[in-house]
Amino acid sequence: MSAATSACARAIVATKKTTAARRAGKSATRATPRSVAARAGGAGTPFTTWILQQEMEEKIDGELAVVLSSIGLACKQIASLVQRAGLQGMTGLAGETNVQGEDQKKLDVISNDVFCDVLRQTGRTGVIASEEEDVPVAVEETFGGNYVVVFDPLDGSSNIDAAVSTGSIWGIYESDSTCIPDFGTEDAAKIEEKCVMNVCQPGNNLLCAGYCMYSSSTILVLTLGEGVYGFTLDPTVGEFIMSHDNIKVPESGKIYSFNEGNYDMWTPGLKKYMDSLKTGGAEQGTKPYSARYIGSLVGDFHRTILYGGIYGYPGDSKNPNGKLRLLYECAPMSFIAEQAGGMGSTGKERVLDVVPEKFHQRVPFFTGSKKEVQYLESFM
Ligand code: AFP
């Protein structure tokens, strides 16, 4: 590790501390003025109004407000593309594979362009990092803010051709001033190194995490570290409207969402856990759990936080770290799960505590109701 990189690494740990302190300080010291309480949004509040309210209440700055509204715009554009995909020849493969060796669908590529374009155009993002890109990319034109945005523009895209739910997932971090690339003096390798350092932050540093589900409704769910809020797209006005005020995941729930086809490759402990669900789980002798699996993380996760239960993508003998990516799938979903009163775990530790070693790192992932995730952990 070079001296400059170590400085970045140290700076990022410092960022983590200040972010946590800021969060703690905010909730400890900020009183809610009466005028704010009167303005506070609830069900029916448009997403753009809600963002402005968060800014007025100093939960976010003006720069982050711009980034959030640009993500809302990207989600609307992708929702529209997904709805018309079958009619406009946008189903099927693009003919390329991404760095992880996965076939890219046409809509994967288009959705990635949509996300990258809106984020660049805000001028408030310093680094953007996508599932579909080999490495995180520095944005040359920043005129304020320097947010780091990690995202999976279209997760579950193997479902697209059958018109089954898909979704976008994102996480937003603060970048550190010592890790901001200098286009005037630094070469491409140095800039890339700084971008990777900026992106490889633990989920504990997340300022915002969210997803948008493209299904029978288009629903955008996000957290800024103080509760979880859901907004449903009203197609008649083209705006997300708050439909889920302060989502809380039920403490337990008898629905499990795993790709059980991998059972033979699981550890004995995990097999035992899975078998136990069929005879009542923690309360043996009661009714068996129900299996629900879409194969689209956003859809399976959304159902899990609303109805309760557990979603899991474990490691197995072929892929010890499972399939899901830490930075733009597991960490953002864990932040949301925790903010809704649930959990996000690798089976052995809290996902938000995992410090990424590389950009496309995978981790085993279990999330949902607290009691269900704790019960799973007791077998691991
Ligand atoms: P695709 O984007 O290739 O459809 O992968 C979706 C995904 O990353 C996640 O959304 C699913 O939960 C998981 O993979 C499904 O994987 P399996 O098909 O192996 O169950």
Side-chain angles (χ1 to χ4, degrees):
M1 196 184 269
S2 72
T5 310
S6 319
C8 275
R10 280 196 300 275
I12 281 170
V13 172
T15 305
K16 179 183 168 186
K17 286 185 184 147
T18 51
T19 304
R22 199 159 48 77
R23 267 197 209 141
K26 251 190 235 157
S27 41
T29 57
R30 198 182 322 113
T32 309
R34 261 190 312 152
S35 56
V36 169
R39 285 198 305 267
T45 306
F47 185 50
T48 42
T49 308
W50 185 80
I51 292 172
L52 290 174
Q53 285 169 348
Q54 306 311 299
E55 191 189 341
M56 281 191 288
E57 293 173 27
E58 294 178 10
K59 289 177 180 168
I60 55 173
D61 63 16
E63 316 288 347
L64 186 51
V66 173
V67 175
L68 289 177
S69 65
S70 77
I71 289 175
L73 174 63
C75 293
K76 282 190 229 174
Q77 290 179 354
I78 295 170
S80 158
L81 290 164
V82 166
Q83 271 177 356
R84 289 178 290 127
L87 297 171
Q88 301 209 327
M90 285 184 290
T91 52
L93 299 175
E96 301 287 331
T97 53
N98 64 19
V99 70
Q100 297 158 84
E102 298 163 340
D103 287 328
Q104 286 182 307
K105 296 267 182 184
K106 287 180 196 165
L107 266 182
D108 282 327
V109 177
I110 300 169
S111 306
N112 188 47
D113 289 346
V114 168
F115 248 86
C116 290
D117 286 350
V118 297
L119 288 172
R120 278 178 207 279
Q121 284 159 12
T122 62
R124 268 74 176 176
T125 46
V127 178
I128 53 177
S130 164
E131 190 214 5
E132 302 301 334
E133 306 281 349
D134 299 1
V135 289
V137 182
V139 179
E140 291 203 33
E141 289 198 16
T142 53
F143 12 92
N146 240 304
Y147 288 103
V148 176
V149 184
V150 292
F151 56 92
D152 182 347
L154 195 61
D155 189 67
S157 56
S158 54
N159 285 308
I160 283 279
D161 296 3
V164 176
S165 329
T166 50
S168 304
I169 307 168
W170 66 88
I172 305 177
Y173 294 92
E174 228 160 18
S175 83
D176 190 275
S177 55
T178 61
C179 297
I180 295 171
D182 181 347
F183 292 97
T185 60
E186 292 173 339
D187 62 16
K190 182 82 225 164
I191 290 174
E192 185 182 310
E193 185 185 66
K194 281 189 166 179
C195 287
V196 172
M197 294 304 297
N198 243 325
V199 159
C200 286
Q201 302 192 46
N204 275 326
N205 286 9
L206 279 164
L207 297 178
C208 167
Y211 62 82
C212 186
M213 182 177 70
Y214 312 111
S215 186
S216 56
S217 303
T218 298
I219 302 185
L220 186 154
V221 173
L222 85 169
T223 180
L224 296 170
E226 288 183 20
V228 179
Y229 298 89
F231 299 82
T232 300
L233 183 63
D234 180 345
T236 59
V237 292
E239 172 64 300
F240 285 105
I241 307 291
M242 190 185 289
S243 46
H244 300 71
D245 186 0
N246 203 12
I247 296 172
K248 291 289 170 207
V249 57
E251 233 187 299
S252 60
K254 286 196 149 191
I255 301 176
Y256 72 96
S257 190
F258 286 62
N259 184 345
E260 227 177 322
N262 295 328
Y263 182 92
D264 282 349
M265 294 188 289
W266 290 348
T267 59
L270 187 60
K271 284 180 179 168
K272 218 168 146 203
Y273 163 77
M274 189 49 60
D275 296 343
S276 86
L277 298 187
K278 292 161 186 167
T279 47
E283 291 160 24
Q284 283 294 298
T286 58
K287 112 177 164 39
Y289 280 49
S290 294
R292 297 283 185 276
Y293 191 72
I294 304 169
S296 183
L297 174 61
V298 173
D300 283 317
F301 180 84
H302 188 69
R303 183 197 56 247
T304 303
I305 62 163
L306 291 189
Y307 296 176
I310 183 165
Y311 169 89
Y313 208 108
D316 57 44
S317 55
K318 205 163 136 215
N319 299 299
N321 292 320
K323 177 180 180 189
L324 303 186
R325 275 56 54 113
L326 170 61
L327 271 167
Y328 39 83
E329 291 180 312
C330 309
M333 293 312 213
S334 294
F335 190 27
I336 296 168
E338 287 195 6
Q339 283 298 315
M343 283 177 71
S345 167
T346 65
K348 298 204 180 317
E349 67 177 314
R350 191 172 163 250
V351 169
L352 296 183
D353 288 337
V354 180
V355 180
E357 284 163 13
K358 53 183 186 181
F359 173 39
H360 292 293
Q361 184 172 334
R362 297 171 198 261
V363 284
F365 185 44
F366 306 95
T367 188
S369 299
K370 207 174 234 173
K371 282 192 176 161
E372 304 303 335
V373 179
Q374 284 169 344
Y375 181 61
L376 170 126
E377 283 178 338
S378 69
F379 286 81
M380 304 297 278

